[in-house]
Amino acid sequence: MVNGFDPANISALDSATRDMIERRQALLGPAYRLMYANPVEIRRAKGTLLWDSAGNEYLDAYNNVVSVGHCHPRVAEAVYEQMQTLCTHTRYLQDGILEFASQIVPTFGDPIRHIMFTCTGSEANDLALRIAMHHTGRKGIVITSEAYTGNSFLTAGLSPSLGRKSPLGEWVRRIPAPDSYRIAPAEIAATMIRQLKYEIEELERRGEGLAAFIADSLFSSDGIYADPTDILAPIAEVVRAAGGVVIADEVQAGFGRSGDKFWGFQRHGHRPDIVTMGKPMGNGFPVAAVAVAPHVIERFGNEMRYFNTFGGNTVAIAAARATFDVLMSEGLQENAARIGRMIQEGIREIARSDERIGDVRGAGLYIGVEFVKDRTTKEPDSATALAVVDGLRQRRVLISATGYHANTLKIRPPLVFSAADADRLLTTLAETLKAV
């Protein structure tokens, strides 16, 4: 795992941390992973800050789940009040879910008209793919090269970023990521479409056909490629011409994170048939959703039925409504744009005197910093990137890394990140680079 703790190095840790990790391994089993060479124990949090059991303070520049900040009082109060009143499923009539749906559905634009609730982004993507397959009568799915869509059986089968030992589905095909650092921006769309057409032909030859193309519009797991934004609209045309459905995976790119648009796909000026969302939707409470066009859900709705015991329950909706309200009322999309520009400008200033930084890219508060061994060859330098991640962690600033070579810093803080937080991040990054 990128930026993962290696259990072989447990002897280097202090006794308290070592004991906790050993208990964790014994009780939770071998499949769980911890971040950082020296794992972090977190006891409490507020806004953009975290504290460990010794009272040490950390700056959180990584967690997009708590988009409106850790332990936001309005979200916490909404969950508490609803939990004291009622927590039940969607098979009873309730106003809350309808009021929230009426608020969020218009943000997608045409042709989206319906929304269905799940607990997680993995569930949302799983349901979206089931709907697409049922609608088209086909199975084939096209993704970008290092996509991550979830950890259900279906979505793990189209999540190459889980690693080489995690098998992809036989019905899955990949096209290149829009590597704006190595491919001329004017050529990216044509390159991806050329490969897309080839993969569609291969699916048809094998009797699978194309059910859907699914992409995160910030291409987060591919290495964070926010620009150019003329890619997804022409891809959508090719997908629909082949009878497929276009799915916008907004689990990481949505809810104002890109700064300039509320949903990431809107930056590309295209209109997907299905939109999935999760992670930041309840600011830590598990709630996610699938928004869908009527013509895509009609057959599925008539021939199947959908029910999720916890998806869309009254407490989940209370969390989602409160989070949505905070996003809107506190101007967090605008804050993401402003602070994101500040961070990118600051890192570009650092890069002027540090040639290990090959590229700085992103949108709003989703920023990638790619490290290379040589700016001419653009050979990836994962060792330096991971050393920087670890150096920041030692200085109590938390980020991670992404991309096929794990050579790109992933800076993805809560949307309440302030100018002071950004200054601390930039100052600590500069100090870390001098030490690496």
Side-chain angles (χ1 to χ4, degrees):
M1 186 184 85
V2 173
N3 186 35
F5 167 68
D6 184 356
N9 297 329
I10 193 170
S11 61
L13 304 177
D14 63 83
S15 60
T17 302
R18 189 165 61 245
D19 289 347
M20 184 174 286
I21 292 173
E22 288 173 346
R23 284 187 66 212
R24 176 185 167 101
Q25 291 172 334
L27 293 169
L28 305 185
Y32 281 91
R33 298 291 185 272
L34 286 162
M35 295 176 65
Y36 306 112
N38 184 359
V40 180
E41 179 197 0
I42 299 301
R43 285 292 181 91
R44 62 186 180 93
K46 186 72 173 177
T48 60
L49 301 176
L50 306 161
W51 289 269
D52 64 19
S53 55
N56 296 309
E57 179 188 278
Y58 295 77
L59 178 64
D60 187 353
Y62 176 70
N63 284 294
N64 68 331
V65 173
V66 284
S67 59
V68 301
H70 290 274
C71 305
H72 194 289
R74 287 168 65 182
V75 180
E77 182 180 0
V79 169
Y80 176 70
E81 288 184 356
Q82 185 59 54
M83 198 69 181
Q84 285 190 311
T85 305
L86 174 70
C87 181
T88 191
H89 53 71
T90 56
R91 282 181 167 166
Y92 300 122
L93 289 172
Q94 292 151 20
D95 285 335
I97 193 170
L98 303 179
E99 291 174 3
F100 179 59
S102 69
Q103 287 180 300
I104 195 170
V105 167
T107 67
F108 303 110
D110 291 331
I112 304 298
R113 288 289 181 272
H114 307 307
I115 188 165
M116 306 161 69
F117 294 95
T118 67
C119 299
T120 67
S122 295
E123 283 188 354
N125 280 333
D126 190 291
L127 177 59
L129 293 164
R130 285 176 55 208
I131 292 169
M133 291 177 178
H134 198 80
H135 171 69
T136 62
R138 304 180 183 126
K139 290 177 62 180
I141 307 293
V142 177
I143 56 173
T144 53
S145 58
E146 283 298 299
Y148 174 72
T149 59
N151 58 22
S152 70
F153 181 79
L154 177 59
T155 58
L158 48 136
S159 295
S161 64
L162 288 175
R164 293 182 179 275
K165 293 185 178 181
S166 182
L168 296 180
E170 294 180 0
W171 29 267
V172 175
R173 295 292 182 273
R174 294 192 285 175
I175 63 173
D179 188 343
S180 56
Y181 182 47
R182 292 172 177 81
I183 305 173
E187 299 175 6
I188 290 176
T191 300
M192 295 178 73
I193 287 171
R194 187 163 51 248
Q195 188 65 28
L196 173 62
K197 289 180 176 179
Y198 172 79
E199 299 300 347
I200 290 172
E201 289 178 2
E202 288 295 298
L203 287 167
E204 290 174 346
R205 284 182 63 189
R206 285 163 172 74
E208 304 283 1
L210 179 66
F213 169 78
I214 181 170
D216 159 11
S217 60
L218 291 179
F219 303 95
S220 308
S221 296
D222 288 294
I224 309 173
Y225 299 106
D227 295 290
T229 56
D230 61 352
I231 298 168
L232 292 178
I235 283 177
E237 291 181 10
V238 173
V239 171
R240 291 192 179 108
V245 168
V246 179
I247 303 173
D249 179 351
E250 293 289 315
V251 171
Q252 298 197 72
F255 290 100
R257 178 158 291 278
S258 67
D260 48 357
K261 299 292 182 181
F262 194 73
W263 300 109
F265 70 82
Q266 292 167 338
R267 302 179 68 249
H268 287 256
H270 90 107
R271 297 178 174 181
D273 304 298
I274 301 176
V275 181
T276 60
M277 66 215 77
K279 288 190 188 300
M281 192 170 182
N283 206 50
F285 195 96
V287 57
V290 176
V292 59
H295 73 280
V296 175
I297 192 63
E298 183 177 8
R299 183 181 170 196
F300 183 91
N302 290 334
E303 298 178 2
M304 309 283 283
R305 66 176 181 269
Y306 173 69
F307 176 65
N308 186 318
T309 302
F310 296 109
N313 74 72
T314 46
V315 179
I317 294 299
R321 290 178 68 186
T323 303
F324 187 81
D325 182 58
V326 170
L327 281 167
M328 296 300 189
S329 64
E330 295 188 5
L332 295 187
Q333 179 180 329
E334 294 77 11
N335 187 68
R338 181 173 63 88
I339 301 301
R341 283 193 298 270
M342 178 181 174
I343 294 171
Q344 286 205 50
E345 289 168 3
I347 297 174
R348 289 194 177 99
E349 181 63 32
I350 293 171
R352 289 191 179 96
S353 58
D354 194 327
E355 294 199 354
R356 293 172 295 179
I357 299 176
D359 195 28
V360 182
R361 53 184 181 260
L365 284 175
Y366 213 139
I367 298 165
V369 183
E370 181 164 353
F371 283 83
V372 293
K373 295 179 180 178
D374 184 282
R375 284 184 177 176
T376 302
T377 64
K378 298 182 180 180
E379 181 183 354
D381 185 358
S382 59
T384 296
L386 294 174
V388 170
V389 170
D390 188 59
L392 286 168
R393 178 260 175 269
Q394 292 174 25
R395 294 166 177 80
R396 302 194 185 111
V397 173
L398 305 182
I399 66 166
S400 192
T402 189
Y404 179 79
H405 298 285
N407 67 314
T408 300
L409 304 186
K410 179 162 60 174
I411 300 170
R412 186 190 57 179
L415 300 186
V416 293
F417 219 62
S418 68
D421 292 331
D423 183 67
R424 178 177 172 182
L425 168 65
L426 293 168
T427 301
T428 310
L429 176 61
E431 293 172 355
T432 302
L433 284 166
K434 289 178 182 177
V436 170

